[in-house]
Each structure stands twice: as structure tokens, then as C-alpha cells.
Amino acid sequence: MAGRKSSMVGRVYLDPGDRLSGRRDPAEPVTVLCGWGPGGGPRNVLIEREDGTRDVVPFCRRLRRAS
């Protein structure tokens, strides 16, 4: 998988979960490892959770900025 470097790589976002994987309350902090997709921005991102597991999630619909 050849991901391109983007400004979100290495940043921490909050993942509130979804209907399939289950909601998380409070949202779980995750780190973006790489992103890819057509056009001007990434559609999917590879994330790493605090426990070390990795997952591919849709960026724009799921992840929120950590405050």
C-alpha cells in the first residue's frame, strides 16, 4: 500500500466509533499513519489506536480533531 504524505500524518484525532464497530464514549484518541484517496484529499486513513492495533477508517466522516 503506497500512501502519500499529507499534513494529517502523525496527528492525533478522536475516533467516536460508528454503528458497525460500536460507539465509543468518550471518543478514543488515534494517530494517523497514512492517508490515500482520489482528488484533493484523503478519503481513507490508516490509524493506530493506543493499544497498538491498526485500522482503516474513512477520515472525513469519522475522525474529529482532538482539542
Side-chain angles (χ1 to χ4, degrees):
M1 167 174 42
R4 64 177 181 228
K5 180 79 172 156
S6 74
S7 62
M8 71 184 62
V9 172
R11 290 190 183 182
V12 175
Y13 290 88
L14 297 176
D15 180 11
D18 64 6
R19 283 184 245 150
L20 293 175
S21 67
R23 300 295 290 176
R24 294 174 181 86
D25 188 25
E28 177 182 17
V30 297
T31 303
V32 173
L33 301 178
C34 72
W36 64 94
R43 301 291 170 101
N44 293 319
V45 291
L46 175 65
I47 61 168
E48 186 172 44
R49 301 185 186 283
E50 289 183 324
D51 64 2
T53 60
R54 293 181 176 184
D55 197 9
V56 175
V57 299
F59 178 75
C60 58
R61 293 187 198 143
R62 184 137 156 208
L63 300 182
R64 303 290 176 248
R65 285 186 181 173
S67 52

